[in-house]
Amino acid sequence: MKITVVGTGYVGLVTGTCLAETGNEVICVDIDAEKVAMMQQGNVPIYEPHLDVLFHRNIKAGRLKFTTSLEEGLSFGDIVFLALPTPEDEDGSADLSYILGVAEQIGGLITEYKVIVDKSTVPVGTAEKVVATIAKNAKVDFDVVSNPEFLREGFAVDDFLKPERIVVGSRSERAINLMKKLYNPFVRSGNPIIIMDEKSAELTKYAANSFLATKITFMNEIANFCEKVGADVDKVRIGMGTDSRIGKRFLFPGIGYGGSCFPKDVKALQKSGKDNGYDFEILDAVIEVNNVQKTILLPKIASYFEGKLEGKTIAIWGLAFKPETDDIREAPALYMIDELLSKGANVVAFDPEAIPNVKRKYNNEVSFSDSMYNVLENADALIISTEWSIFRTPDFNKVKELLNNPVIFDGRNLYDVDDMEKEGIQYISIGRKKVN
Ligand SMILES: NC(=O)c1ccc[n+]([C@@H]2O[C@H](COP(=O)([O-])OP(=O)(O)OC[C@H]3O[C@@H](n4cnc5c(N)ncnc54)[C@H](O)[C@@H]3O)[C@@H](O)[C@H]2O)c1
């Protein structure tokens, strides 16, 4: 099949590349000329494990192309994916200007039947708005399908190639048949393509992300309470998670959820509720608790330094909002950096992939190191904010030797509390007993 993907970011590029991998011809459109030139020269503009192999293979096979021209893109594909940003607007709602801006142009550019697919995360009712916007200028038939994406950054290629489910929201048989034909190669093991109406599909994505954000936040509150009463959240987590109704995943406490999806999606569902006369009280609490959780280590750090953070040098391991990505959108590390800088501390940071993105944001305010050990040299403390695998078994002798004080504030609970005690490291983590 011939496919067009409009918006070639984390979702669009993975979608385009994986669809090419199953033999489709794909053209990816992006407004960012620099990014398009980079891809045309054979360079992957983001860090996503395994994407590069598929990217190069499909370019070489002539199945994957890139352009800045929406007109060229629309004249190509039978199915047109919109993988455009839907960032948080000032009032918390999802900003639909990217989607509706492109929809406005689509109407005038299509000359034959197309299926337009909302792959972006969009509030209930967006498909209707996209239909109305395209219809203003369209002279040919078209269908708009809601097909929310559930891939996780860091596992995006695997998630796309082997999805647990595919949700297709449409009431057009013609569009549903085309979508099934496109996706059948990805569900050969029997995972479902779930067909529903557009609104239910749109809400499915927000409900899933908000539920996961709530699960994390609940565990963060349990962890905070563990500290008050001397319980160990790791024990509680395992005790709870073995109940199959609860499940083991998404129970790890930490310094709050971040990333390009959960924060904005929870807020967008909350706002969508308000707009429709419904108060999502549980989401109000989730947002509030998460805001505090992102900087929950700071009072502990301040107390360690007896309130005097000015002039202290704090090393940070991990800047990306989670491992295996260079994405720093809403990363808890950035909230900590802002607070530390505002208290007069110096920040030196290391991350395996995200340094270029953080550099762009902070200029010279933060120093960076290309090694997880070099960054510790003459630092007064270490904060761990992303659970990259390389941080899991460090050489603790080296860590102690390089740090001015043997103290680690771990926002991801990477190490065993007793092991740290044996190492002679003061170890402050989330929801577990402290080593004094
Ligand atoms: N990132 C994720 O893990 C993830 C997962 C599931 C769903 N989503 C949703 O998918 C959507 C896209 O997210 P993303 O992370 O890929 O965003 P992104 O910011 O990485 O990519 C968006 C791309 O769209 C391009 N763009 C902007 N305006 C354009 C225009 N007018 N024409 C062509 N291209 C344009 C940008 O240059 C950028 O390359 C969002 O709604 C997001 O919520 C994201």
Side-chain angles (χ1 to χ4, degrees):
M1 295 170 91
K2 288 188 167 182
I3 307 297
T4 300
V5 179
V6 185
T8 315
Y10 286 89
V11 168
L13 183 57
V14 171
T15 301
T17 307
C18 292
L19 290 174
E21 182 69 10
T22 48
N24 299 293
E25 289 175 72
V26 179
I27 190 157
C28 293
V29 183
D30 204 283
I31 203 169
D32 182 338
E34 211 176 303
K35 196 184 241 186
V36 169
M38 200 176 164
M39 293 187 287
Q40 284 170 337
Q41 284 155 22
N43 299 311
V44 186
I46 53 168
Y47 174 73
E48 184 59 50
H50 315 301
L51 182 60
D52 52 347
V53 177
L54 274 66
F55 177 86
H56 292 123
R57 180 159 62 218
N58 285 288
I59 291 177
K60 202 167 162 208
R63 287 191 299 263
L64 183 60
K65 296 198 165 73
F66 305 94
T67 180
T68 52
S69 161
L70 184 63
E71 188 171 2
E72 184 189 351
L74 288 174
S75 67
F76 184 80
D78 303 313
I79 300 180
V80 179
F81 283 89
L82 305 183
L84 292 156
T86 47
E88 184 184 329
D89 219 335
E90 277 162 18
D91 60 1
S93 62
D95 174 0
L96 291 180
S97 61
Y98 296 86
I99 303 263
L100 297 179
V102 169
E104 187 95 39
Q105 298 174 64
I106 289 177
L109 290 172
I110 52 174
T111 53
E112 56 184 343
Y113 174 78
K114 305 271 173 189
V115 177
I116 312 296
V117 183
D118 283 342
K119 190 136 224 31
S120 302
T121 303
V122 290
V124 176
T126 302
E128 274 175 5
K129 287 184 186 164
V130 173
V131 169
T133 309
I134 296 175
K136 277 195 285 184
N137 304 319
K139 295 187 179 58
V140 293
D141 278 351
F142 66 93
D143 278 308
V144 172
V145 170
S146 168
N147 170 222
E149 180 51 58
F150 298 97
L151 64 75
R152 298 159 300 164
E153 285 177 22
F155 303 92
V157 170
D158 222 40
D159 284 347
F160 198 95
L161 294 176
K162 288 179 265 174
E164 287 187 333
R165 82 304 206 184
I166 290 165
V167 169
V168 173
S170 174
R171 283 158 298 166
S172 152
E173 210 168 308
R174 187 176 183 186
I176 291 169
N177 286 338
L178 278 170
M179 295 301 284
K180 279 188 178 164
K181 191 174 160 198
L182 181 69
Y183 278 129
N184 273 336
F186 299 94
V187 291
R188 287 171 51 81
S189 59
N191 286 348
I193 298 177
I194 308 168
I195 309 292
M196 56 180 82
D197 62 277
E198 297 84 342
K199 285 184 175 172
S200 302
E202 289 164 342
L203 186 53
T204 298
K205 174 67 188 176
Y206 277 112
N209 272 3
S210 298
F211 183 81
L212 292 170
T214 304
K215 194 173 178 187
I216 297 172
T217 304
F218 178 80
M219 261 337 263
N220 285 337
E221 288 226 275
I222 293 291
N224 296 341
F225 186 60
C226 281
E227 290 182 14
K228 296 265 180 238
V229 296
D232 182 337
V233 72
D234 275 347
K235 306 279 187 310
V236 178
R237 171 175 65 75
I238 292 165
M240 281 170 69
T242 38
D243 182 330
S244 61
R245 291 171 303 174
I246 295 172
K248 298 184 180 73
R249 299 171 71 186
F250 268 78
L251 290 182
F252 290 82
I255 41 174
Y257 61 78
S260 61
C261 292
F262 286 178
K264 79 172 174 64
D265 292 351
V266 174
K267 284 190 197 152
L269 181 57
Q270 180 198 44
K271 179 69 170 59
S272 198
K274 283 200 170 58
D275 291 345
N276 289 281
Y278 188 80
D279 270 336
F280 274 109
E281 291 180 38
I282 195 166
L283 298 185
D284 298 346
V286 167
I287 292 164
E288 203 175 306
V289 171
N290 196 59
N291 280 342
V292 175
Q293 197 72 19
K294 284 185 287 200
T295 52
I296 200 103
L297 284 176
L298 283 167
K300 300 177 187 198
I301 300 169
S303 136
Y304 176 86
F305 289 109
E306 294 169 344
K308 295 178 205 114
L309 276 168
E310 192 160 1
K312 295 286 180 306
T313 298
I314 310 294
I316 299 187
W317 279 358
L319 298 165
F321 84 91
K322 65 174 187 175
E324 298 299 332
T325 181
D326 58 354
D327 195 342
I328 58 160
R329 290 177 278 187
E330 294 289 320
L334 306 189
Y335 287 88
M336 279 194 294
I337 290 175
D338 290 342
E339 287 280 326
L340 289 166
L341 292 176
S342 77
K343 302 254 175 327
N346 307 309
V347 176
V348 285
F350 168 76
D351 186 282
E353 295 295 337
I355 288 175
N357 286 339
V358 179
K359 246 186 200 167
R360 270 194 286 278
K361 184 171 159 62
Y362 285 97
N363 296 319
N364 299 325
E365 284 175 286
V366 174
S367 310
F368 300 93
S369 173
D370 58 0
S371 135
M372 64 186 264
Y373 292 111
N374 289 348
V375 81
L376 304 178
E377 217 164 330
N378 293 320
D380 296 301
L382 166 64
I383 297 176
I384 300 175
S385 53
T386 316
E387 63 276 36
W388 283 95
S389 308
I390 49 156
F391 302 148
R392 285 186 188 273
T393 49
D395 178 341
F396 286 114
N397 286 331
K398 233 174 169 175
V399 170
K400 280 184 287 186
E401 202 179 286
L402 290 163
L403 282 174
N404 288 342
N405 313 296
V407 60
I408 300 178
F409 297 91
D410 183 359
R412 300 297 174 187
N413 286 3
L414 295 189
Y415 314 126
D416 185 85
V417 173
D418 295 331
D419 289 350
M420 288 295 98
E421 194 165 16
K422 282 185 210 133
E423 290 286 354
I425 291 177
Q426 190 158 353
Y427 181 59
I428 293 116
S429 54
I430 308 280
R432 306 188 298 174
K433 70 177 193 244
K434 284 186 202 167
V435 181
N436 293 311

